[in-house]
Amino acid sequence: MMGMTQSNLITLHISGNKIGDEGAEAIGMALKETKTLTALNIANCSILLAGAKAIGMGLAENTSITNLNCSKNMFSGQGVVLFAKCLTSHTALHTLLLQEVGMDGNGAKEIAAMLTQNTQLRNIDISGNEISVDGTTAIAAALQHNTALTYISLKGNRIEKSACNALASALTTNSTLTEIDLSNNFLGDGGAILLREGLEKRTGPAISVHLSNTMMSYQQRVSISQIPNVQVAF
């Protein structure tokens, strides 16, 4: 990846190519050297665990990347753990996309640990994974302390009612979120009631909440949509 380190390249978009772990390792090395690259899209590039680790290690020494899309690579839960550990103190990253990367509860817990310490990240999308109740609860707990994030997508993560109490607490106490996507999860009316209680107590900024395909009744959807400073998309 000599071009990344010996030019004024600002954006690199190579999604959909089969660079695999070998290519990811080369990119990881280049990330340690580049001073100009701000946006990197390596979605759907057949990157696995070793590549996830390499990209993370490169980011740990990088100070320029603000937008990163690693979606649709099968990092696996352990790969996400290794990747996220490297982002705790990244000083530039603004937007991170990790859609459909095979993230499990353990990976989500490491993302949560990162969110409690990273003060720069504004947008994160981890939709299309299976983060489990434990992973969702960990992220919700992190949101109670995070004071930087404005957008998070947990869409399509098989989240159930049992995680909604933690999410409700996060929505009550978080002071920066302006948008959260909980679509395509199994929240049901029980989850809706808990989320409504949390949103009613919210003192933070106005928030947009995406709740399409969450198995909520019409009555519960209307009830949530009537909360002041809450915009709901069903």
Side-chain angles (χ1 to χ4, degrees):
M1 288 292 168
M2 185 177 295
M4 284 177 59
T5 60
Q6 297 185 358
S7 73
N8 292 321
L9 188 66
I10 296 173
T11 299
L12 181 61
H13 189 313
I14 57 172
S15 63
N17 289 287
K18 296 184 181 300
I19 66 170
D21 285 347
E22 183 177 357
E25 289 168 1
I27 289 176
M29 291 297 294
L31 284 172
K32 297 178 182 181
E33 304 295 332
T34 180
K35 306 297 182 185
T36 61
L37 193 70
T38 60
L40 176 62
N41 187 337
I42 49 174
N44 193 25
C45 282
S46 303
I47 301 171
L48 305 177
L49 188 154
K53 180 180 179 181
I55 296 294
M57 292 178 67
L59 288 167
E61 299 183 33
N62 174 276
T63 58
S64 65
I65 293 291
T66 60
N67 292 270
L68 178 62
N69 186 352
C70 296
S71 299
K72 298 185 178 181
N73 289 296
M74 194 48 60
F75 282 5
S76 78
Q78 184 59 25
V80 173
V81 168
L82 297 172
F83 174 82
K85 283 182 182 292
C86 299
L87 299 181
T88 298
S89 58
H90 198 282
T91 58
L93 192 62
H94 184 281
T95 298
L96 175 61
L97 306 182
L98 290 172
Q99 305 167 356
E100 300 177 33
V101 293
M103 187 186 309
D104 60 9
N106 289 328
K109 288 178 183 178
E110 198 60 47
I111 291 290
M114 180 269 290
L115 290 176
T116 63
Q117 299 182 61
N118 185 291
T119 59
Q120 298 300 319
L121 196 64
R122 298 292 184 269
N123 309 290
I124 186 169
D125 186 337
I126 59 172
S127 58
N129 292 289
E130 294 191 15
I131 64 175
S132 78
V133 172
D134 287 346
T136 305
T137 301
I139 287 176
L143 291 176
Q144 294 190 52
H145 303 285
N146 181 281
T147 56
L149 211 63
T150 61
Y151 169 83
I152 185 169
S153 176
L154 302 174
K155 179 180 179 180
N157 266 289
R158 305 184 68 84
I159 299 171
E160 300 180 359
K161 173 193 170 184
S162 54
C164 287
N165 193 46
L167 287 170
S169 296
L171 291 171
T172 297
T173 59
N174 180 275
S175 61
T176 57
L177 273 182
T178 58
E179 186 172 5
I180 183 169
D181 192 343
L182 296 171
S183 301
N184 296 2
N185 286 298
F186 308 121
L187 309 182
D189 281 357
I193 291 170
L194 292 171
L195 291 175
R196 186 188 71 227
E197 291 174 351
L199 288 165
E200 286 174 340
K201 298 174 185 176
R202 181 175 172 80
T203 58
I207 189 169
S208 176
V209 184
H210 298 260
L211 293 169
S212 60
N213 299 318
T214 51
M215 303 178 70
M216 292 182 184
S217 66
Y218 175 77
Q219 179 181 5
Q220 291 300 330
R221 286 182 285 169
V222 170
S223 178
I224 294 175
S225 66
Q226 293 175 340
I227 301 172
N229 295 320
V230 176
Q231 181 177 355
V232 181
F234 291 107

